[in-house]
Amino acid sequence: MQFQLTEAQQSLRDEVRTFAQEEIRPRAIELDQQDEYPADILAELGDRRLTGLTLPEEYGGRGEGLVELALMTEELSAATMSVASTVALHLGVATVIERFGTEDQCEEFLSEMATYDTVGALGLSEENAGSDKSRMETTAERDGDEWVLNGHKRWVTNYLDADVILTYAKTGPEEAAPHNVSAFLVPVEAFEVENVWDTLGARSAKAVEVSLSDVRVSDGRRVGEEGEAYVERGRDKNGVNVPARGVGIARAALEDTVEYTSRRRQYDRAIGDFQGVRWEVGKMAERVDTARLLTLRAADRADRGADVSREYSMAKINATQAAVDNANDAMQLHGGIGYTTERHVERYLRDARLLTIAGGPNEGHKDTLADAVFSRHAER
């Protein structure tokens, strides 16, 4: 078993790390405090085609896999999670188009999505359809060559800069579930904004609640088979971006803590010389390595076409909790200065807290993990 990145993967990681540390991190506190969307940063990522990292080269992407996505996401998240979230969600929409869309849809959207000239957002969750998407209330009714959409969507990240929303709606009877949901590419101007959420963290990537009222879209804007969109979505492995974001935050918290405790002096010695501090820092490093290895394992298996329900849930639970625990320990070891907005560590804690919820709450993934463990045992 090899635990070594290829030269190409190392090169990608180094490219993103240099950009993230030189161009994103120096502005991270300001972006967060001012709730500022990082438009120029995302434009530069688009110029580098990192916003199309996993899209085929024929559509302007880089043609990379999920291991590369995990590496990129970690580096962006270590600088600020809002940028990593924005890129991952946009790329997730593009991937659904690439995998399940028509040739015409791919030709129309993917080249500009690869360069972030067309921005995608996801309309999936609703007030009563969080973890349980069967409670979705948004509907799409066929009217000739068009569909008429009515309903609402929550947590539409990227909406304020988006051009198109990948919108999921029920198109069949309840008894047909889960084969009763279709996806549509709906222009952003067709929605009405109900609420721009003021959130604890991820403040540069605003999440919005929107509604649709008798919105008409052509059947040519339907992505994938009618009634199969939610099932198709279950075959999409881009979810590794969530644990990768956790790895990035956990690593940033560790690195900041090592730097601070190495130079902060109390009682005529660096506080990093105290055994209690050293043990805590060692534990933080252990969390980072464990989270990264689990995340890259899940990404690698997904790239190989293997089932990753066990590996993804394990990575998601571990990495997102590692982000919370490392951010919390970083704040403690920074002392009072870590509680101020002059340092990054308080943002790490606020951003990390989202990750145990995003992409499905960790409690749900614990059920998925346990199901996979018992299922594999029964197959022996």
Side-chain angles (χ1 to χ4, degrees):
M1 180 179 293
Q2 297 293 321
F3 289 90
Q4 188 75 24
L5 299 177
T6 67
E7 289 187 9
Q9 289 167 341
Q10 291 179 47
S11 178
L12 171 67
R13 180 200 60 194
D14 293 346
E15 174 193 352
V16 181
R17 179 174 295 181
T18 298
F19 178 79
Q21 295 302 312
E22 292 181 357
E23 303 297 331
I24 302 177
R25 182 178 169 87
R27 297 177 52 194
I29 292 175
E30 178 185 4
L31 289 169
D32 176 76
Q33 291 178 358
Q34 297 184 4
D35 294 0
E36 181 183 344
Y37 184 77
D40 56 331
I41 291 171
L42 292 163
E44 176 61 27
L45 291 172
D47 289 343
R48 294 168 179 254
R49 293 183 299 132
L50 291 169
T51 49
L53 181 73
T54 58
L55 296 179
E57 293 183 36
E58 65 183 289
Y59 296 119
R62 286 198 176 197
E64 303 289 4
L66 295 177
V67 169
E68 288 80 7
L69 176 63
L71 294 171
M72 177 182 75
T73 303
E74 175 187 334
E75 297 304 329
L76 294 177
S77 191
T80 179
M81 193 193 72
S82 289
V83 171
S85 300
T86 298
V87 172
L89 290 166
H90 163 81
L91 188 52
V93 171
T95 299
V96 170
I97 298 172
E98 185 263 320
R99 289 196 63 190
F100 305 112
T102 65
E103 185 176 339
D104 287 344
Q105 289 169 348
C106 291
E107 291 286 349
E108 179 179 355
F109 288 100
L110 294 187
S111 293
E112 289 200 348
M113 293 186 82
T115 57
Y116 213 69
D117 291 307
T118 292
V119 179
L122 176 64
L124 179 60
S125 295
E126 299 178 4
E127 181 177 2
N128 295 316
S131 298
D132 183 5
K133 297 300 188 296
S134 69
R135 300 292 300 276
M136 186 181 299
E137 297 169 355
T138 298
T139 61
E141 296 185 3
R142 189 80 179 249
D143 184 12
D145 292 333
E146 293 184 319
W147 294 86
V148 182
L149 278 71
N150 286 281
H152 77 282
K153 293 296 174 183
R154 270 189 170 186
W155 316 124
V156 187
T157 304
N158 284 4
Y159 178 87
L160 298 178
D161 198 53
D163 299 291
V164 63
I165 315 296
L166 181 65
T167 306
Y168 288 75
K170 284 187 174 176
T171 54
E174 295 298 327
E175 57 266 25
H179 304 281
N180 63 339
V181 175
S182 301
F184 303 88
L185 295 169
V186 183
V188 70
E189 57 267 20
F191 293 81
E192 292 290 334
V193 176
E194 302 293 335
N195 188 20
V196 180
W197 298 99
D198 189 13
T199 55
L200 177 69
R203 300 187 63 86
S204 294
K206 287 298 184 184
V208 177
E209 184 173 24
V210 296
S211 62
L212 307 103
S213 181
D214 292 331
V215 171
R216 289 180 172 269
V217 296
S218 71
D219 190 53
R221 286 293 186 263
R222 175 172 49 82
V223 180
E225 295 295 325
E226 182 179 335
E228 298 300 319
Y230 193 64
V231 176
E232 290 170 343
R233 184 170 186 82
R235 300 201 298 267
D236 183 13
K237 304 296 195 304
N238 271 356
V240 295
N241 84 80
V242 179
R245 281 185 257 169
V247 177
I249 292 176
R251 192 193 90 206
L254 168 64
E255 290 174 347
D256 284 12
T257 300
V258 171
E259 191 277 334
Y260 180 76
T261 59
S262 295
R263 62 179 177 80
R264 170 66 169 168
R265 298 184 67 82
Q266 292 289 276
Y267 304 104
D268 297 322
R269 60 195 296 196
I271 63 174
D273 290 339
F274 290 96
Q275 186 180 68
V277 173
R278 296 172 70 83
W279 284 7
E280 287 297 318
V281 170
K283 182 63 178 178
M284 293 171 71
E286 178 186 327
R287 292 188 191 118
V288 173
D289 281 14
T290 303
R292 182 184 292 116
L293 288 168
L294 288 172
T295 299
L296 291 177
R297 181 183 67 165
D300 179 66
R301 282 181 59 86
D303 280 336
R304 297 173 188 272
D307 174 54
V308 293
S309 54
R310 179 181 185 273
E311 288 76 15
Y312 169 59
S313 287
M314 191 179 291
K316 203 275 184 182
I317 296 164
N318 184 278
T320 59
Q321 190 60 51
V324 173
D325 291 342
N326 271 19
N328 197 45
D329 286 349
M331 181 175 289
Q332 188 70 24
L333 293 175
H334 275 72
I337 196 66
Y339 194 66
T340 73
T341 56
E342 291 185 9
R343 300 299 175 99
H344 295 273
V345 291
E346 61 86 26
R347 187 185 76 256
Y348 298 155
L349 186 56
R350 289 187 288 108
D351 285 355
R353 199 61 190 82
L354 169 65
L355 295 178
T356 63
I357 304 168
N362 282 6
E363 290 76 12
H365 282 280
K366 290 176 182 178
D367 284 337
T368 300
L369 172 58
D371 289 345
V373 171
F374 279 102
S375 176
R376 291 188 187 181
H377 176 77
E379 293 171 358
R380 293 177 180 175

